[in-house]
Amino acid sequence: MLRLGVNIDHVATIRNARGGPHPDPVRAAIVAALAGADGITAHLREDRRHITDEDIDRLMAAIDLPLNLEMAATEEMLAIALAHRPHAACIVPEKREERTTEGGLDAAGQIDTLRPFVERLKAAGIRVSLFIEPSTAQLDAAIRLGAPVVEFHTGRYAHVAGDERASELKRIADCAALAVKNGIEPHAGHGLTFDNVAPIAAIPQLAELNIGHFLVGEAIFTGLDASIRRMRALMNAARG
Ligand code: PXP
């Protein structure tokens, strides 16, 4: 079965716009669990623009679903991950000036820097994932780093159209197959919507999709429960 990880960062973004407690991302995680999410994803950014340290404490206490903590490869984030021991940690690139995680991690260019992070997270029993572009060079780096999971950045797929989208889809599918051949579990995410999720969900090797911004935006119109249930149904339909 293809798992759905619901990223609740943008519930926190709306809350933080006013500085009060509402809307609460932990409540969103509870709704997501009831709506059929298989996991909760949250990105603790260096500037804490969405989830805060306290949110991580509360999420760990309130939800039974596995938590996938997205984190930059920094000593600060490593210490937080090791203190909380979430189910999974997804190492992402992070630039302060970017609006969102604009591209994959350059694992191939940073093998020596990333190795101690991967090793220390793995030693703590945390399932390590690397958020990479769907390329053989990046996948090769993930293999060399011993990452058990990779998440392919689907941002390019989501933002191009026509032949370019078809070739990006093929790149993701080929990399997912290559990952499985090498004993790595492939996930995917970024920019997925009701309109573009089906071809990605149909890639048989993918084990998990992580989806956030669209689900939270759609929740304004239909409610979070309904937006997650519809995404889940589209993913299930794509898998036949
Ligand atoms: N996966 C990872 C690793 C991410 O960093 C993000 C957010 O940038 C997502 C998935 C979800 O992307 P979106 O919010 O566009 O659905």
Side-chain angles (χ1 to χ4, degrees), residues 7 10 70 90 92 100-101 131 151 189-192 210-213:
N7 182 316
H10 293 294
E70 291 178 9
C90 180
V92 300
T100 179
T101 311
F131 190 39
E151 180 171 333
H190 199 91
L192 296 176
N210 284 299
I211 309 180
H213 184 268

Side-chain angles (χ1 to χ4, degrees), residues 13-122:
T13 310
I14 298 170
R15 175 196 62 189
N16 299 351
R18 282 292 170 94
H22 188 268
D24 183 2
V26 176
R27 181 171 164 201
I30 293 166
V31 170
L34 293 172
D38 302 291
I40 299 298
T41 293
H43 185 177
L44 186 67
R45 278 185 171 262
E46 186 197 7
D47 62 8
R48 308 300 196 267
R49 75 171 79 146
H50 352 271
I51 295 294
T52 63
D53 304 62
E54 193 204 335
D55 291 330
I56 301 290
D57 291 340
R58 292 190 306 121
L59 278 169
M60 292 289 295
I63 60 166
D64 292 327
L65 291 181
L67 177 68
N68 173 31
L69 179 68
E70 291 178 9
M71 54 172 272
T74 64
E75 284 300 327
E76 181 200 13
M77 290 303 150
L78 179 65
I80 291 169
L82 295 177
H84 286 287
R85 294 179 188 246
H87 168 78
C90 180
I91 303 181
V92 300
E94 196 173 300
K95 292 191 217 102
R96 252 181 196 249
E97 61 279 12
E98 70 188 355
R99 257 189 290 174
T100 179
T101 311
E102 281 160 6
L105 185 71
D106 181 17
Q110 300 178 69
I111 294 216
D112 292 340
T113 312
L114 291 171
R115 193 178 300 283
F117 289 93
V118 172
E119 283 175 3
R120 286 160 75 191
L121 289 164
K122 277 173 73 176

